[in-house]
């Protein structure tokens, strides 16, 4: 929701609280983000890892969305040194730590990258007039950088899903992105969970929570209430049959609609390698069982 007049981030007396949804792609972060974004204290910003790569231009049309992000861009302009894919490859992508030849470049850009991240969240909070900004970028290494950014009070929501269902989702051919091979997806899941668990465990306890997609599918109101209680937000009974998608910067195609009914795929058809995936990903399932608070 855009404000009637711009409020400069410099006028904010408190750092914005950022709820960062971390974990593998295709785990339900968009529908979770939309639902939480319908709370009056939360602005769902979508996948902000794309901000620098897209130079602050949202990937969905709409006059209201364009006005909102234009105002954010005016208050937090993209530094030419950060524009493009380089920051994503250096700081966020799961292969970033293995790019040893880029260490000096990472050192040179890290301060500027973190400074811009803090300014971006502050500006989003100011323009939306919401204290909470929800970023569903997924990347755990982005979360690692954000918690060291100035003026960012970071909360981690680690979202996990049955690996066989993630693999099945990545193999679909009826979506915009090309399908991904099963073995490649399994390797991606291992690496993502490795970094996610490491970042999660080193984050302050009171600012982290692990949730399962399956709990969202089975008991959405209960899970949403638990999340808002954890964040210290007033409880709201959301109309899950008519959720505003808002002005998210980037995300999947359901954000093209103005309103959606809450819908999650609880039992999708599995992929040919589903039993093997369940076996190879079993250690992460055990870790997630230990980390997840009981509902």
């Amino acid at each position: 929701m855009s404000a009637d007049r711009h409020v400069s981030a410099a006028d904010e007396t408190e750092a914005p609280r950022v709820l960062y949804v971390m974990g593998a792609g295709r785990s339900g972060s968009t529908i979770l983000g939309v639902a939480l974004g319908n709370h009056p204290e939360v602005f769902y910003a979508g996948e902000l890892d794309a901000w620098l790569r897209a130079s602050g231009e949202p990937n969905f049309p709409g006059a209201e969305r364009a006005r909102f992000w234009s105002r954010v861009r005016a208050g937090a302009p993209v530094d030419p040194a950060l524009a493009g894919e380089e920051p994503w490859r250096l700081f966020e992508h799961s292969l970033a730590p293995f790019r040893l030849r880029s260490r000096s470049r990472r050192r040179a850009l890290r301060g500027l990258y973190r400074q811009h991240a803090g300014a971006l969240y502050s500006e989003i909070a100011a323009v939306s007039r919401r204290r909470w900004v929800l970023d569903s970028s997924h990347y755990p290494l982005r979360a690692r950088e954000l918690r060291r950014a100035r003026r960012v009070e970071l909360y981690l929501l680690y979202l996990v899903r049955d690996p066989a269902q993630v693999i099945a989702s990545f193999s679909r051919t009826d979506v915009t992105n090309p399908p991904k091979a099963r073995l490649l997806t399994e390797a991606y899941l291992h690496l993502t969970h490795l970094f996610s668990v490491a970042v999660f465990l080193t984050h302050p306890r009171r600012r982290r929570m692990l949730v399962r997609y399956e709990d969202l599918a089975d008991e959405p109101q209960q899970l949403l209430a638990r999340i808002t209680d954890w964040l210290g937000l007033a409880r709201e009974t959301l109309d899950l049959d008519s959720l505003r998608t808002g002005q998210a910067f980037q995300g999947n195609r359901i954000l093209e609609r103005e309103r959606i009914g809450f819908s999650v795929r609880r039992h999708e058809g599995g992929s040919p390698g589903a039993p093997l995936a369940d076996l190879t990903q079993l250690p992460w399932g055990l870790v997630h069982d230990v980390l997840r608070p009981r509902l």
Side-chain angles (χ1 to χ4, degrees):
M1 179 185 298
S2 60
D4 294 331
R5 66 180 182 85
H6 176 64
V7 181
S8 171
D11 296 334
E12 294 291 295
T13 57
E14 296 181 284
R17 292 182 175 178
V18 176
L19 178 58
Y20 186 86
V21 181
M22 179 177 70
R26 310 292 177 89
S27 294
S29 62
T30 299
I31 189 64
L32 178 60
V34 168
L36 289 171
N38 277 254
H39 191 285
E41 299 178 62
V42 179
F43 178 80
Y44 175 46
E47 299 171 5
L48 290 175
D49 62 286
W51 176 262
L52 295 175
R53 284 180 281 158
S55 298
E57 293 288 345
N59 72 330
F60 293 118
E64 187 175 356
R65 178 180 275 109
R67 282 194 300 270
F68 179 90
W69 292 107
S70 175
R71 297 178 69 191
V72 172
R73 211 163 47 244
V78 176
D79 190 300
L82 294 174
E85 292 198 356
E86 186 180 30
W88 174 71
R89 289 188 286 104
L90 291 177
F91 300 113
E92 301 174 356
H93 193 271
S94 295
L95 295 179
F98 305 103
R99 296 189 172 105
L100 301 182
R101 295 182 179 179
S102 301
R103 285 180 295 183
S104 60
R105 184 61 174 163
R106 266 196 296 273
R107 286 194 296 269
L109 285 182
R110 178 164 272 132
L112 185 60
Y113 172 88
R114 292 175 178 173
Q115 181 182 8
H116 178 76
L120 174 61
Y121 289 119
S122 292
E123 202 62 31
I124 293 171
V127 175
S128 66
R129 295 186 177 180
R130 309 284 177 87
R131 178 71 191 282
W132 286 89
V133 177
L134 194 159
D135 181 351
S136 57
S137 293
H138 302 295
Y139 296 101
L141 295 183
R142 175 175 169 84
R144 183 183 65 172
E145 297 296 329
L146 293 180
R147 68 186 179 191
R148 293 177 174 85
R150 292 184 58 192
R151 292 186 56 79
V152 172
E153 192 173 335
L154 188 69
Y155 287 70
L156 292 181
L157 190 62
Y158 183 10
L159 179 63
V160 300
R161 185 183 183 186
D162 175 5
Q165 301 302 320
V166 174
I167 292 171
S169 181
F170 271 110
S171 67
R172 291 171 58 188
T173 58
D174 60 340
V175 294
T176 304
N177 295 327
K180 185 179 291 188
R182 180 179 64 81
L183 292 179
L184 186 60
T185 305
E186 284 205 47
Y188 159 74
L189 285 174
H190 280 296
L191 197 56
T192 298
H193 289 318
L194 175 65
F195 287 136
S196 294
V197 169
V199 172
F200 186 85
L201 290 177
T202 54
H203 203 67
R205 284 180 178 269
R206 67 182 182 87
R207 294 189 187 179
R208 71 189 194 201
M209 176 183 281
L210 184 147
V211 298
R212 289 187 183 278
Y213 173 90
E214 289 73 21
D215 292 335
L216 178 66
D218 291 339
E219 296 288 347
Q221 290 286 11
Q222 182 182 3
L223 180 61
L224 293 171
R226 186 173 182 94
I227 293 172
T228 55
D229 286 349
W230 164 57
L231 299 176
L233 301 176
R235 279 207 177 188
E236 295 279 334
T237 302
L238 302 177
D239 181 3
L240 298 182
D241 292 326
S242 181
L243 294 170
R244 301 183 311 275
T245 56
Q247 307 303 327
F249 181 76
Q250 181 159 305
N252 68 32
R253 59 186 180 181
I254 72 171
L255 298 177
E256 294 177 330
R257 289 173 279 174
E258 184 177 347
R259 287 183 178 270
I260 60 171
F262 185 86
S263 175
V264 295
R265 294 173 181 263
R266 182 63 175 89
H267 297 293
E268 292 180 345
S271 64
L276 179 60
D278 288 336
L279 180 63
T280 59
Q281 299 291 328
L282 178 61
W284 294 120
L286 297 176
V287 171
H288 296 155
D289 282 342
V290 173
L291 298 179
R292 180 179 61 143
R294 299 301 173 190
L295 293 180

